[in-house]
Amino acid sequence: MILTYITYFLAAFVATFGFCVMYNVPTRTILASSISGAFGWLVYYIIALQFELVLFIGAGAASFLIAFLSQWFARRYKMPVIVFAVPAIIPLVPGSSAYSMMRSFIEGDSEAALLFATETFLVSGAIALGLSLNSGLFQVFSSRAFGRREKRYLP
Amino acid sequence: MQQQYTVAKIVDICVEAGRVMLENGAETYRVEDTLYRIAKSYRLENINVFVVPTALIITVQGDDGQDYTELLRMNDRNTNLEKVSMVNDLSRQLARKPLPPKKVREKLSNIINTPTNFTRLQRNLSMALACGGFTLLFGGSYMEVLPAFIAGGLGHYLFEVVKNWTNVSFFAEMVASFFIGMLSFVFVRIGFGLDLNIIIIGSVMSLVPGMAITNSFRDLMAGHLLAGVAVLAKALITAGAIGIGIAIVLAFL
Protein backbone atom coordinates (compact mmCIF):
# COMPACT_ATOMS: atom_id res chain seq x y z
CA MET A 1 0.00 0.00 0.00
CA ILE A 2 2.68 2.44 1.11
CA LEU A 3 4.86 1.15 -1.71
CA THR A 4 2.13 2.02 -4.25
CA TYR A 5 1.98 5.59 -2.99
CA ILE A 6 5.76 5.92 -3.08
CA THR A 7 5.84 4.56 -6.63
CA TYR A 8 3.19 7.00 -7.81
CA PHE A 9 4.88 9.87 -6.00
CA LEU A 10 8.20 9.12 -7.67
CA ALA A 11 6.59 8.61 -11.08
CA ALA A 12 4.76 11.94 -10.90
CA PHE A 13 7.93 13.59 -9.60
CA VAL A 14 9.94 12.31 -12.55
CA ALA A 15 7.23 13.28 -15.05
CA THR A 16 7.07 16.83 -13.68
CA PHE A 17 10.84 17.05 -13.59
CA GLY A 18 11.04 16.13 -17.26
CA PHE A 19 8.66 18.88 -18.26
CA CYS A 20 10.48 21.37 -16.02
CA VAL A 21 13.64 20.79 -18.03
CA MET A 22 11.64 20.96 -21.28
CA TYR A 23 10.04 24.28 -20.30
CA ASN A 24 13.39 25.67 -19.12
CA VAL A 25 12.30 26.42 -15.56
CA PRO A 26 14.98 28.30 -13.55
CA THR A 27 17.34 25.67 -12.12
CA ARG A 28 16.87 26.52 -8.45
CA THR A 29 13.09 26.06 -8.56
CA ILE A 30 12.93 22.70 -10.39
CA LEU A 31 12.81 20.72 -7.13
CA ALA A 32 9.95 22.85 -5.78
CA SER A 33 7.89 22.44 -8.97
CA SER A 34 8.48 18.71 -9.08
CA ILE A 35 7.44 18.26 -5.45
CA SER A 36 4.19 20.17 -5.94
CA GLY A 37 3.48 18.15 -9.09
CA ALA A 38 4.01 14.89 -7.20
CA PHE A 39 1.75 15.94 -4.31
CA GLY A 40 -0.90 17.10 -6.76
CA TRP A 41 -1.00 13.74 -8.50
CA LEU A 42 -1.08 11.93 -5.15
CA VAL A 43 -4.18 13.90 -4.13
CA TYR A 44 -5.78 13.18 -7.52
CA TYR A 45 -4.98 9.48 -7.16
CA ILE A 46 -6.39 9.22 -3.65
CA ILE A 47 -9.61 11.15 -4.35
CA ALA A 48 -10.43 10.04 -7.89
CA LEU A 49 -9.09 6.50 -8.01
CA GLN A 50 -8.92 5.32 -4.40
CA PHE A 51 -12.20 6.79 -3.07
CA GLU A 52 -13.73 6.60 -6.56
CA LEU A 53 -15.29 10.03 -6.45
CA VAL A 54 -15.85 11.72 -9.81
CA LEU A 55 -12.78 12.83 -11.75
CA PHE A 56 -13.93 16.45 -11.64
CA ILE A 57 -13.56 16.65 -7.85
CA GLY A 58 -10.22 14.86 -7.85
CA ALA A 59 -8.68 17.05 -10.54
CA GLY A 60 -10.14 20.21 -8.98
CA ALA A 61 -8.81 19.41 -5.51
CA ALA A 62 -5.40 18.45 -6.90
CA SER A 63 -5.05 21.63 -8.95
CA PHE A 64 -6.22 23.68 -5.97
CA LEU A 65 -3.47 22.12 -3.87
CA ILE A 66 -0.92 22.73 -6.63
CA ALA A 67 -1.96 26.37 -6.92
CA PHE A 68 -1.73 26.75 -3.15
CA LEU A 69 1.76 25.23 -3.02
CA SER A 70 2.79 27.32 -6.03
CA GLN A 71 1.65 30.55 -4.34
CA TRP A 72 3.68 29.59 -1.31
CA PHE A 73 6.78 28.74 -3.35
CA ALA A 74 6.31 31.87 -5.45
CA ARG A 75 6.62 34.03 -2.34
CA ARG A 76 9.54 32.03 -1.03
CA TYR A 77 11.55 32.21 -4.24
CA LYS A 78 10.15 35.62 -5.37
CA MET A 79 9.12 34.37 -8.82
CA PRO A 80 5.82 34.41 -10.70
CA VAL A 81 3.36 31.64 -9.89
CA ILE A 82 3.38 30.09 -13.40
CA VAL A 83 6.99 28.98 -12.99
CA PHE A 84 5.72 26.51 -10.38
CA ALA A 85 2.14 25.88 -11.44
CA VAL A 86 2.63 25.16 -15.16
CA PRO A 87 5.00 22.18 -14.83
CA ALA A 88 3.23 20.92 -11.71
CA ILE A 89 -0.16 20.41 -13.36
CA ILE A 90 1.43 18.43 -16.23
CA PRO A 91 0.71 14.98 -14.71
CA LEU A 92 -2.95 16.00 -14.30
CA VAL A 93 -3.59 17.54 -17.72
CA PRO A 94 -5.78 15.35 -19.93
CA GLY A 95 -3.29 14.95 -22.77
CA SER A 96 -3.74 11.21 -22.90
CA SER A 97 -7.53 11.40 -23.04
CA ALA A 98 -7.36 14.06 -25.76
CA TYR A 99 -5.17 11.71 -27.79
CA SER A 100 -7.42 8.71 -27.05
CA MET A 101 -10.46 10.74 -28.08
CA MET A 102 -8.97 11.63 -31.45
CA ARG A 103 -7.72 8.09 -32.01
CA SER A 104 -11.16 6.63 -31.26
CA PHE A 105 -12.77 9.10 -33.66
CA ILE A 106 -10.33 8.11 -36.39
CA GLU A 107 -10.85 4.42 -35.77
CA GLY A 108 -14.62 4.95 -36.00
CA ASP A 109 -15.46 4.20 -32.37
CA SER A 110 -17.55 7.32 -31.71
CA GLU A 111 -18.96 6.08 -28.41
CA ALA A 112 -15.55 5.68 -26.80
CA ALA A 113 -14.49 8.96 -28.38
CA LEU A 114 -17.36 10.84 -26.74
CA LEU A 115 -16.49 9.29 -23.38
CA PHE A 116 -12.88 10.44 -23.73
CA ALA A 117 -14.05 13.87 -24.92
CA THR A 118 -16.20 14.31 -21.80
CA GLU A 119 -13.27 13.28 -19.64
CA THR A 120 -10.93 15.69 -21.43
CA PHE A 121 -13.21 18.70 -21.03
CA LEU A 122 -14.25 17.91 -17.47
CA VAL A 123 -10.71 17.41 -16.23
CA SER A 124 -9.30 20.49 -17.94
CA GLY A 125 -12.25 22.54 -16.71
CA ALA A 126 -11.63 21.25 -13.19
CA ILE A 127 -7.93 22.14 -13.36
CA ALA A 128 -8.70 25.65 -14.58
CA LEU A 129 -11.36 26.04 -11.89
CA GLY A 130 -9.02 24.86 -9.12
CA LEU A 131 -6.31 27.29 -10.19
CA SER A 132 -8.59 30.30 -10.48
CA LEU A 133 -10.46 29.46 -7.26
CA ASN A 134 -7.16 29.57 -5.42
CA SER A 135 -6.09 32.87 -6.94
CA GLY A 136 -9.54 34.31 -6.19
CA LEU A 137 -9.24 33.37 -2.53
CA PHE A 138 -5.68 34.62 -2.50
CA GLN A 139 -6.77 38.03 -3.83
CA VAL A 140 -9.63 38.34 -1.36
CA PHE A 141 -7.44 37.64 1.65
CA SER A 142 -4.26 39.38 0.55
CA SER A 143 -5.94 42.63 -0.45
CA ARG A 144 -6.97 43.17 3.15
CA ALA A 145 -3.57 42.27 4.52
CA PHE A 146 -1.45 44.38 2.20
CA GLY A 147 -3.69 47.40 1.86
CA ARG A 148 -5.09 48.63 -1.44
CA ARG A 149 -3.84 46.66 -4.37
CA GLU A 150 -4.61 46.74 -8.03
CA LYS A 151 -6.76 43.78 -9.06
CA ARG A 152 -5.13 41.32 -11.36
CA TYR A 153 -5.85 37.89 -12.65
CA LEU A 154 -3.38 35.42 -11.23
CA PRO A 155 -3.35 31.93 -12.74
CA MET B 1 2.03 65.77 -16.05
CA GLN B 2 4.38 66.20 -18.97
CA GLN B 3 5.60 63.00 -20.57
CA GLN B 4 9.33 62.48 -20.16
CA TYR B 5 9.83 60.08 -23.06
CA THR B 6 8.14 60.03 -26.47
CA VAL B 7 5.04 57.87 -26.55
CA ALA B 8 6.14 55.98 -29.67
CA LYS B 9 9.27 54.74 -27.89
CA ILE B 10 7.23 53.49 -24.94
CA VAL B 11 4.79 51.68 -27.20
CA ASP B 12 7.80 50.14 -28.93
CA ILE B 13 9.16 48.63 -25.74
CA CYS B 14 5.68 47.43 -24.79
CA VAL B 15 5.40 45.55 -28.10
CA GLU B 16 8.89 44.13 -27.70
CA ALA B 17 8.11 42.89 -24.17
CA GLY B 18 4.85 41.39 -25.42
CA ARG B 19 6.66 39.64 -28.26
CA VAL B 20 9.15 38.02 -25.86
CA MET B 21 6.34 36.86 -23.57
CA LEU B 22 4.12 35.46 -26.32
CA GLU B 23 7.05 33.73 -28.03
CA ASN B 24 7.92 31.95 -24.83
CA GLY B 25 4.50 30.62 -24.05
CA ALA B 26 2.90 33.09 -21.64
CA GLU B 27 -0.90 33.00 -21.50
CA THR B 28 -2.66 35.84 -23.28
CA TYR B 29 -4.17 37.38 -20.16
CA ARG B 30 -0.73 37.57 -18.57
CA VAL B 31 0.66 39.38 -21.62
CA GLU B 32 -2.23 41.87 -21.58
CA ASP B 33 -1.77 42.45 -17.87
CA THR B 34 1.98 42.99 -18.13
CA LEU B 35 1.77 45.35 -21.10
CA TYR B 36 -0.92 47.35 -19.35
CA ARG B 37 1.31 47.66 -16.31
CA ILE B 38 4.36 48.72 -18.31
CA ALA B 39 2.37 51.40 -20.14
CA LYS B 40 0.76 52.49 -16.88
CA SER B 41 4.12 52.89 -15.15
CA TYR B 42 5.04 55.57 -17.74
CA ARG B 43 1.80 57.37 -16.81
CA LEU B 44 0.11 56.91 -20.17
CA GLU B 45 -3.66 57.26 -20.43
CA ASN B 46 -6.37 55.26 -22.21
CA ILE B 47 -4.33 52.09 -22.63
CA ASN B 48 -5.95 49.30 -24.61
CA VAL B 49 -4.17 46.02 -25.17
CA PHE B 50 -5.59 43.14 -27.17
CA VAL B 51 -3.71 39.86 -27.38
CA VAL B 52 -4.59 36.65 -29.17
CA PRO B 53 -2.07 33.80 -29.57
CA THR B 54 -1.18 34.97 -33.08
CA ALA B 55 -1.29 38.75 -32.78
CA LEU B 56 -0.90 41.66 -30.40
CA ILE B 57 -2.45 45.15 -30.68
CA ILE B 58 -1.74 48.04 -28.33
CA THR B 59 -3.23 51.52 -28.46
CA VAL B 60 -2.38 54.35 -26.09
CA GLN B 61 -3.13 58.04 -26.02
CA GLY B 62 -0.33 60.59 -25.65
CA ASP B 63 -0.51 63.94 -23.87
CA ASP B 64 -1.44 65.73 -27.07
CA GLY B 65 -4.51 63.53 -27.55
CA GLN B 66 -2.87 61.65 -30.39
CA ASP B 67 -3.47 57.87 -30.46
CA TYR B 68 -0.55 55.51 -31.04
CA THR B 69 -1.25 51.99 -32.25
CA GLU B 70 1.07 49.12 -33.01
CA LEU B 71 0.26 45.67 -34.32
CA LEU B 72 2.50 42.63 -34.05
CA ARG B 73 1.95 39.37 -35.90
CA MET B 74 3.24 36.26 -34.09
CA ASN B 75 4.17 33.01 -35.73
CA ASP B 76 6.37 30.71 -33.74
CA ARG B 77 5.85 29.69 -30.14
CA ASN B 78 7.74 27.55 -27.70
CA THR B 79 7.78 27.40 -23.93
CA ASN B 80 10.55 28.99 -21.88
CA LEU B 81 9.25 29.89 -18.45
CA GLU B 82 12.49 31.51 -17.35
CA LYS B 83 12.17 34.25 -19.97
CA VAL B 84 8.50 34.83 -19.08
CA SER B 85 9.48 35.23 -15.44
CA MET B 86 12.31 37.62 -16.38
CA VAL B 87 9.96 39.90 -18.35
CA ASN B 88 7.56 39.77 -15.41
CA ASP B 89 10.35 40.92 -13.10
CA LEU B 90 11.23 43.71 -15.51
CA SER B 91 7.65 44.98 -15.53
CA ARG B 92 7.69 45.09 -11.74
CA GLN B 93 10.96 47.00 -11.78
CA LEU B 94 9.42 49.52 -14.18
CA ALA B 95 6.37 49.93 -11.95
CA ARG B 96 8.65 50.97 -9.10
CA LYS B 97 10.86 53.27 -11.18
CA PRO B 98 10.37 53.87 -14.92
CA LEU B 99 13.67 53.52 -16.77
CA PRO B 100 14.53 55.26 -20.06
CA PRO B 101 13.22 53.23 -23.04
CA LYS B 102 16.73 52.72 -24.38
CA LYS B 103 17.76 50.94 -21.20
CA VAL B 104 14.61 48.81 -21.18
CA ARG B 105 15.37 47.78 -24.74
CA GLU B 106 18.86 46.71 -23.67
CA LYS B 107 17.43 44.65 -20.84
CA LEU B 108 14.91 43.02 -23.16
CA SER B 109 17.62 42.05 -25.64
CA ASN B 110 19.59 40.60 -22.73
CA ILE B 111 16.54 38.49 -21.87
CA ILE B 112 16.15 37.35 -25.49
CA ASN B 113 19.79 36.31 -25.66
CA THR B 114 19.76 34.38 -22.39
CA PRO B 115 20.81 30.82 -23.26
CA THR B 116 18.61 27.93 -22.17
CA ASN B 117 19.65 26.20 -18.96
CA PHE B 118 19.83 22.77 -20.55
CA THR B 119 21.36 21.27 -23.67
CA ARG B 120 19.30 19.48 -26.28
CA LEU B 121 20.49 16.08 -25.09
CA GLN B 122 19.48 16.89 -21.52
CA ARG B 123 16.03 18.00 -22.68
CA ASN B 124 15.48 14.86 -24.72
CA LEU B 125 16.67 12.63 -21.89
CA SER B 126 14.35 14.33 -19.42
CA MET B 127 11.42 13.95 -21.82
CA ALA B 128 12.27 10.26 -22.04
CA LEU B 129 12.29 10.05 -18.24
CA ALA B 130 8.91 11.79 -18.11
CA CYS B 131 7.47 9.30 -20.63
CA GLY B 132 8.72 6.45 -18.48
CA GLY B 133 7.06 8.00 -15.43
CA PHE B 134 3.76 8.47 -17.24
CA THR B 135 3.40 4.75 -17.95
CA LEU B 136 3.30 4.13 -14.20
CA LEU B 137 0.77 6.91 -13.68
CA PHE B 138 -1.52 5.40 -16.33
CA GLY B 139 -1.55 2.08 -14.55
CA GLY B 140 1.34 0.30 -16.27
CA SER B 141 3.71 -2.08 -14.55
CA TYR B 142 7.49 -1.75 -14.30
CA MET B 143 7.73 -3.78 -17.51
CA GLU B 144 6.48 -0.84 -19.56
CA VAL B 145 8.76 1.86 -18.15
CA LEU B 146 11.87 1.09 -20.17
CA PRO B 147 10.15 0.66 -23.57
CA ALA B 148 8.32 3.95 -23.07
CA PHE B 149 11.58 5.60 -22.01
CA ILE B 150 13.22 4.58 -25.28
CA ALA B 151 10.22 5.14 -27.57
CA GLY B 152 9.27 8.46 -25.97
CA GLY B 153 12.81 9.85 -26.01
CA LEU B 154 13.52 8.85 -29.62
CA GLY B 155 10.05 10.01 -30.67
CA HIS B 156 10.59 13.44 -29.15
CA TYR B 157 14.01 13.70 -30.77
CA LEU B 158 12.49 12.86 -34.16
CA PHE B 159 9.75 15.43 -33.54
CA GLU B 160 12.29 18.21 -32.97
CA VAL B 161 14.34 17.19 -36.02
CA VAL B 162 11.35 17.01 -38.39
CA LYS B 163 10.00 20.28 -37.05
CA ASN B 164 13.25 21.99 -38.08
CA TRP B 165 13.13 20.49 -41.56
CA THR B 166 9.61 21.46 -42.57
CA ASN B 167 7.10 24.15 -41.75
CA VAL B 168 4.04 22.09 -42.66
CA SER B 169 1.88 22.30 -39.53
CA PHE B 170 1.19 19.09 -37.61
CA PHE B 171 3.43 17.05 -39.93
CA ALA B 172 6.13 16.61 -37.29
CA GLU B 173 3.59 15.34 -34.74
CA MET B 174 2.24 12.81 -37.21
CA VAL B 175 5.68 11.48 -38.19
CA ALA B 176 6.85 11.26 -34.57
CA SER B 177 3.73 9.46 -33.37
CA PHE B 178 3.90 7.05 -36.32
CA PHE B 179 7.48 6.28 -35.33
CA ILE B 180 6.45 5.81 -31.68
CA GLY B 181 3.67 3.46 -32.71
CA MET B 182 5.99 1.34 -34.87
CA LEU B 183 8.68 1.18 -32.20
CA SER B 184 6.21 0.23 -29.45
CA PHE B 185 4.73 -2.47 -31.66
CA VAL B 186 8.18 -3.93 -32.32
CA PHE B 187 8.98 -3.82 -28.59
CA VAL B 188 5.82 -5.71 -27.67
CA ARG B 189 6.36 -8.24 -30.47
CA ILE B 190 9.84 -9.15 -29.23
CA GLY B 191 8.55 -9.42 -25.67
CA PHE B 192 10.09 -6.19 -24.34
CA GLY B 193 7.09 -4.74 -22.47
CA LEU B 194 3.61 -6.22 -22.14
CA ASP B 195 0.81 -3.73 -22.72
CA LEU B 196 1.04 -2.00 -26.11
CA ASN B 197 -1.59 0.61 -25.28
CA ILE B 198 0.12 1.77 -22.09
CA ILE B 199 3.49 2.04 -23.82
CA ILE B 200 2.00 4.13 -26.64
CA ILE B 201 0.10 6.47 -24.31
CA GLY B 202 3.15 6.98 -22.11
CA SER B 203 5.40 7.64 -25.09
CA VAL B 204 3.16 10.17 -26.84
CA MET B 205 2.80 12.23 -23.65
CA SER B 206 5.79 14.29 -24.82
CA LEU B 207 3.78 15.36 -27.89
CA VAL B 208 0.16 15.66 -26.70
CA PRO B 209 -1.21 19.16 -26.08
CA GLY B 210 -2.56 18.64 -22.55
CA MET B 211 -1.03 21.93 -21.44
CA ALA B 212 -2.66 23.78 -24.34
CA ILE B 213 -6.11 22.42 -23.53
CA THR B 214 -5.80 23.48 -19.90
CA ASN B 215 -4.47 26.90 -20.92
CA SER B 216 -7.37 27.38 -23.30
CA PHE B 217 -9.81 26.70 -20.48
CA ARG B 218 -7.98 29.19 -18.29
CA ASP B 219 -8.21 31.78 -21.07
CA LEU B 220 -11.93 31.07 -21.49
CA MET B 221 -12.52 31.45 -17.76
CA ALA B 222 -10.58 34.72 -17.70
CA GLY B 223 -13.00 36.01 -20.35
CA HIS B 224 -10.61 35.82 -23.30
CA LEU B 225 -13.01 33.93 -25.52
CA LEU B 226 -11.18 34.42 -28.81
CA ALA B 227 -7.80 33.30 -27.49
CA GLY B 228 -9.33 30.34 -25.65
CA VAL B 229 -11.16 29.03 -28.70
CA ALA B 230 -8.08 29.51 -30.92
CA VAL B 231 -5.81 27.60 -28.56
CA LEU B 232 -8.41 24.85 -28.12
CA ALA B 233 -8.76 24.39 -31.87
CA LYS B 234 -5.01 24.10 -32.30
CA ALA B 235 -4.76 21.60 -29.45
CA LEU B 236 -7.52 19.42 -30.91
CA ILE B 237 -5.87 19.37 -34.34
CA THR B 238 -2.53 18.46 -32.72
CA ALA B 239 -4.18 15.61 -30.84
CA GLY B 240 -5.81 14.56 -34.11
CA ALA B 241 -2.44 14.47 -35.87
CA ILE B 242 -1.01 12.24 -33.14
CA GLY B 243 -4.11 10.04 -33.28
CA ILE B 244 -3.73 9.64 -37.06
CA GLY B 245 -0.07 8.66 -36.67
CA ILE B 246 -0.89 5.95 -34.15
CA ALA B 247 -4.04 4.79 -35.96
CA ILE B 248 -2.07 4.19 -39.17
CA VAL B 249 0.23 1.83 -37.28
CA LEU B 250 -2.57 -0.02 -35.49
CA ALA B 251 -4.64 -0.36 -38.69
CA PHE B 252 -2.03 -2.65 -40.24
CA LEU B 253 -1.55 -4.97 -37.27
Side-chain angles (χ1 to χ4, degrees):
Chain A
M1 196 66 195
I2 293 290
L3 199 66
T4 325
Y5 287 134
I6 292 174
T7 310
Y8 278 122
F9 187 85
L10 285 182
F13 185 92
V14 164
T16 318
F17 175 84
F19 275 89
C20 281
V21 173
M22 187 63 211
Y23 289 164
N24 199 35
V25 170
T27 325
R28 63 199 179 95
T29 66
I30 284 183
L31 197 64
S33 311
S34 307
I35 285 174
S36 33
F39 273 118
W41 174 268
L42 216 54
V43 166
Y44 174 75
Y45 176 74
I46 290 170
I47 292 181
L49 304 179
Q50 208 84 335
F51 291 155
E52 294 183 345
L53 291 171
V54 286
L55 287 180
F56 189 83
I57 295 177
S63 77
F64 185 83
L65 176 80
I66 286 171
F68 186 81
L69 287 175
S70 302
Q71 296 273 15
W72 193 75
F73 282 128
R75 287 183 166 192
R76 222 189 110 111
Y77 288 95
K78 295 195 171 47
M79 291 212 175
V81 183
I82 50 157
V83 172
F84 304 95
V86 167
I89 60 172
I90 283 287
L92 293 175
V93 295
S96 67
S97 40
Y99 147 75
S100 306
M101 166 183 94
M102 280 316 202
R103 199 184 116 193
S104 305
F105 267 129
I106 290 159
E107 288 175 340
D109 190 355
S110 312
E111 245 170 71
L114 283 180
L115 266 177
F116 281 123
T118 331
E119 190 187 315
T120 307
F121 291 123
L122 275 182
V123 169
S124 45
I127 293 171
L129 191 71
L131 291 177
S132 50
L133 193 67
N134 184 71
S135 52
L137 287 176
F138 184 78
Q139 270 175 6
V140 167
F141 288 114
S142 68
S143 63
R144 202 177 295 159
F146 299 108
R148 204 181 67 81
R149 258 195 178 186
E150 235 180 302
K151 272 191 196 131
R152 66 184 296 204
Y153 189 92
L154 293 164
Chain B
M1 159 168 179
Q2 191 59 40
Q3 195 61 52
Q4 208 176 340
Y5 312 108
T6 57
V7 180
K9 285 247 168 69
I10 298 168
V11 175
D12 266 355
I13 59 166
C14 283
V15 169
E16 185 69 10
R19 191 176 69 81
V20 177
M21 289 189 87
L22 263 186
E23 248 177 14
N24 291 302
E27 311 94 307
T28 50
Y29 65 78
R30 181 176 303 278
V31 180
E32 284 189 3
D33 190 69
T34 309
L35 296 199
Y36 183 84
R37 274 154 188 274
I38 293 178
K40 196 87 187 161
S41 60
Y42 287 100
R43 297 199 177 72
L44 291 174
E45 295 296 324
N46 294 329
I47 306 153
N48 282 295
V49 191
F50 179 73
V51 180
V52 285
T54 50
L56 181 162
I57 306 170
I58 177 167
T59 298
V60 298
Q61 198 170 48
D63 285 336
D64 48 357
Q66 175 85 37
D67 283 333
Y68 292 83
T69 303
E70 271 192 40
L71 167 70
L72 179 83
R73 181 74 169 84
M74 287 290 313
N75 291 315
D76 211 19
R77 299 190 64 162
N78 47 16
T79 309
N80 185 333
L81 292 179
E82 191 175 34
K83 287 187 182 175
V84 174
S85 121
M86 283 162 110
V87 178
N88 223 44
D89 281 348
L90 182 65
S91 83
R92 276 183 199 184
Q93 246 178 57
L94 292 179
R96 276 199 299 276
K97 185 174 165 291
L99 296 167
K102 210 175 157 192
K103 235 178 187 163
V104 178
R105 196 162 265 283
E106 253 169 46
K107 288 197 169 196
L108 279 173
S109 66
N110 271 348
I111 292 176
I112 293 170
N113 293 328
T114 314
T116 52
N117 291 332
F118 308 99
T119 61
R120 194 166 171 192
L121 180 70
Q122 282 172 325
R123 267 182 294 153
N124 274 311
L125 270 181
S126 67
M127 280 326 283
L129 266 178
C131 291
F134 272 118
T135 55
L136 288 178
L137 296 184
F138 293 136
S141 63
Y142 292 106
M143 292 294 290
E144 275 90 35
V145 174
L146 208 55
F149 178 85
I150 296 169
L154 289 178
H156 189 258
Y157 178 74
L158 186 70
F159 168 70
E160 285 194 336
V161 169
V162 175
K163 208 176 177 192
N164 283 340
W165 283 347
T166 168
N167 56 0
V168 181
S169 317
F170 311 116
F171 182 69
E173 281 93 343
M174 221 151 79
V175 171
S177 64
F178 179 78
F179 174 75
I180 286 174
M182 288 298 279
L183 204 58
S184 313
F185 176 66
V186 170
F187 281 158
V188 172
R189 226 348 119 72
I190 61 173
F192 182 46
L194 300 172
D195 194 333
L196 177 63
N197 223 6
I198 296 274
I199 296 177
I200 288 179
I201 287 191
S203 308
V204 296
M205 277 310 283
S206 59
L207 308 172
V208 294
M211 201 59 239
I213 293 178
T214 308
N215 270 347
S216 85
F217 271 73
R218 282 159 77 189
D219 274 334
L220 287 175
M221 286 173 78
H224 293 221
L225 304 178
L226 203 54
V229 172
V231 175
L232 185 65
K234 191 177 177 198
L236 285 183
I237 297 175
T238 310
I242 297 166
I244 290 171
I246 297 291
I248 291 173
V249 176
L250 295 184
F252 293 110
L253 291 192

